[in-house]
Amino acid sequence: MNVGNVIVIGGASAGYTAAIYLARATLSPLVLAGENAGGQLMFTSEVENYPGFSKGIKGPDLMDEMRKQAERFGAEIKNENVTKVDFAGEVKKVWVGETEYQAKAVVLALGASSRMIGVGEEKYYGKGMSTCAVCDAAFYKDKTVFVVGGGDAAMEDALALARFTNKVTIIHRKAEFRASKIMQQRVLTEKKIPVMWNTEVVGVIGSNKLEGIRVKDKTGKEGDVVADGLFLAIGHTPATDILKGQVELDGHGYLITNMTSNKSQMNQEIWLNSYPTQTSAVGVFGAGDMVDIRYRQAITAAGMGCMAALDVEKFLTGSFGSW
Amino acid sequence: MHFSDTDFEEKVIKSNLPVMVDFFAEWCGPCRMAAPIIDELSETYKNKVSIGKVDVDASTGTAAKYGVQSIPTVIMFRDGKEVDRKVGFGGRGGYEEMIKKVI
């Protein structure tokens, strides 16, 4: 079997950036971007904080651009879902169903997927429950809707919905948001968007479609409210299921690299002479939201993808600098 | 292939073949994930299933009639009646399974 230089698993900010650098280093990366190529940014509208786009850019458009940029330099990109990996040997093996790919190095950049509340809301998917307010807001004109969450995504969702209905409420389990100040400000100064602080959704009600939700405040008091729509923005879990047993993960499923490992001390020695983005498996590197337990931005994912690519280049060729 | 409010009756409801309809919008990210898969499947299963798209912005009547509240929504029609539906990005496996159930 033909053993390639490097396989990038994942096709969003981190994976595409790694592919751009690897392709420019003439390492001919194969990118298995997944059927959900583009990742979380495909569920957003305007990205306002990605440098270089002073007027903002649509999340899906940013992903298209990154992909085309990687292809321009020769990256081969397939929207295929990896089903199994074997990183034990020197040659890394990656499967898409029955098809096997081999390479000397791998970059893992599979990102993260939307979290559910877990109170049975799945059965109302498309019948009142949504994880993409930007996609579905227009279907909720003048309806009573709730957004659950406290991050930037929840703020964006609430603002998107407020363009179509006056009845948007944010439900947040804490007493303050963790969203960026500018997004918080937009929500908190928008009279149309009240916030239920210190409140959790503990149940969903309805027959054929969502009709209401059960909420619980911090005193433990429960109550039912009428709801036509429930939009979830309660964060993401790293998409590391297929990696179990192959590379070290932390208790929450995040992929551990030298940068995030408790065992290594990230001193200048590692930055200069080792591989900050390498995982517990030699020749396997990690980047983006599946690694990042702290920043989780498109730009930090892209930055980490670049770092992983440079680490791969050094791993394969002994030096880097050909980008 | 695209269907609209004006030709939906003729091309979907009265079709002799089963018809898979992808309700989408240009600005919807997960719809863009589904699009290349839908295109590929329409090639693979041509002559067995008719596959097409409805732009929910342009054909609001049809989207409302079938209670589309989330996009992408993919609905399978046979003999003019809805027989299956997948809401949200369903992946290749999900869409292919819908097709295999009707052919």
Side-chain angles (χ1 to χ4, degrees):
Chain A
M1 179 173 294
N2 173 38
V3 180
N5 287 316
V6 54
I7 297 170
V8 177
I9 308 179
S13 303
Y16 287 152
T17 305
I20 292 167
Y21 275 77
L22 291 164
R24 289 173 57 84
T26 66
L27 289 168
S28 311
L30 168 65
V31 183
L32 300 173
E35 290 179 8
N36 62 342
Q40 291 170 54
L41 282 177
M42 300 300 277
F43 294 78
T44 67
S45 57
E46 215 66 39
V47 180
E48 295 178 330
N49 55 11
Y50 201 90
F53 299 93
S54 61
K55 297 182 182 69
I57 180 169
K58 298 256 186 298
D61 290 344
L62 180 61
M63 290 300 96
D64 273 0
E65 286 297 318
M66 283 193 192
R67 182 184 179 108
K68 283 183 201 149
Q69 194 173 350
E71 283 173 334
R72 176 181 156 206
F73 297 106
E76 184 187 359
I77 305 179
K78 298 180 177 188
N79 285 9
E80 293 178 351
N81 287 346
V82 170
T83 49
K84 195 173 97 173
V85 297
D86 179 357
F87 299 149
E90 205 167 308
V91 172
K92 313 300 168 196
K93 299 170 183 169
V94 173
W95 284 268
V96 172
E98 301 292 306
T99 310
E100 183 181 344
Y101 299 98
Q102 296 187 347
K104 288 176 258 182
V106 170
V107 175
L108 300 172
L110 288 91
S113 52
S114 297
R115 198 175 281 158
M116 294 284 151
I117 308 174
V119 293
E121 73 272 26
E122 295 88 350
K123 66 175 178 282
Y124 298 110
Y125 196 14
K127 299 172 191 162
M129 193 278 281
S130 169
T131 56
C132 185
V134 170
C135 304
D136 301 340
F139 299 112
Y140 290 84
K141 195 167 180 332
D142 301 325
K143 303 274 189 193
T144 303
V145 299
F146 292 84
V147 175
V148 188
D152 273 355
M155 305 299 113
E156 186 187 9
D157 287 2
L159 293 164
L161 286 158
R163 291 173 48 219
F164 296 94
T165 174
N166 292 327
K167 293 171 277 185
V168 187
T169 305
I170 297 179
I171 299 177
H172 188 44
R173 64 194 163 94
K174 294 188 177 162
E176 58 184 307
F177 292 137
R178 62 181 157 74
S180 60
K181 288 281 179 276
I182 186 167
M183 293 299 281
Q184 286 197 33
Q185 208 171 33
R186 283 181 198 166
V187 164
L188 295 172
T189 55
E190 173 56 79
K191 291 192 184 62
K192 278 192 237 171
I193 310 178
V195 183
M196 293 167 74
W197 302 104
N198 297 307
T199 302
E200 286 178 65
V201 176
V202 293
V204 282
I205 304 151
S207 46
N208 288 329
K209 62 182 182 66
L210 184 75
E211 287 158 15
I213 54 175
R214 178 160 297 172
V215 293
K216 184 169 92 175
D217 68 17
K218 68 173 169 184
T219 67
K221 208 177 90 192
E222 292 191 7
D224 294 346
V225 286
V226 171
D228 301 308
L230 178 67
F231 291 81
L232 305 188
I234 50 173
H236 296 81
T237 40
T240 45
D241 281 355
I242 57 158
L243 305 177
K244 282 178 186 147
Q246 294 290 324
V247 280
E248 196 185 345
L249 307 175
D250 78 4
H252 300 285
Y254 283 91
L255 175 62
I256 293 174
T257 64
N258 282 330
M259 278 197 295
T260 56
S261 171
N262 291 327
K263 289 174 202 148
S264 77
Q265 295 206 315
M266 268 307 288
N267 52 31
Q268 290 194 338
E269 179 63 19
I270 288 184
W271 275 94
L272 286 171
N273 298 319
S274 181
Y275 302 107
T277 66
Q278 186 165 261
T279 67
S280 60
V282 174
V284 178
F285 302 80
D289 280 4
M290 69 189 316
V291 174
D292 191 346
I293 52 176
R294 180 166 178 186
Y295 305 105
R296 301 178 189 127
Q297 303 299 302
I299 183 68
T300 51
M304 227 187 278
C306 164
M307 292 165 67
L310 299 185
D311 283 356
V312 167
E313 187 185 358
K314 183 176 172 185
F315 177 79
L316 292 175
T317 69
S319 66
F320 68 77
S322 53
W323 60 89
Chain B
M1 185 167 26
H2 279 76
F3 307 126
S4 69
D5 281 353
T6 44
D7 64 11
F8 197 83
E9 178 75 19
E10 180 202 332
K11 290 187 179 164
V12 178
I13 301 304
K14 292 183 177 161
S15 167
N16 292 324
L17 288 177
V19 189
M20 188 158 103
V21 183
D22 171 21
F23 291 85
F24 80 106
E26 290 296 342
W27 38 264
C28 152
C31 301
R32 288 203 208 173
M33 290 177 181
I37 296 174
I38 299 285
D39 291 344
E40 195 188 306
L41 292 174
S42 65
E43 192 56 36
T44 311
Y45 291 96
K46 68 177 173 196
N47 304 328
K48 290 185 178 155
V49 178
S50 171
I51 299 178
K53 301 175 190 184
V54 168
D55 183 336
V56 298
D57 284 335
S59 298
T60 49
T62 306
K65 184 174 175 190
Y66 292 97
V68 173
Q69 274 201 316
S70 199
I71 45 176
T73 285
V74 174
I75 303 180
M76 183 67 80
F77 291 88
R78 189 167 53 191
D79 302 325
K81 296 203 174 58
E82 173 176 344
V83 292
D84 200 0
R85 170 184 297 228
K86 196 164 280 293
V87 178
F89 175 61
R92 183 192 314 272
Y95 297 135
E96 202 154 22
E97 195 186 330
M98 287 177 82
I99 293 172
K100 285 183 177 159
K101 275 196 237 168
V102 296
I103 60 172

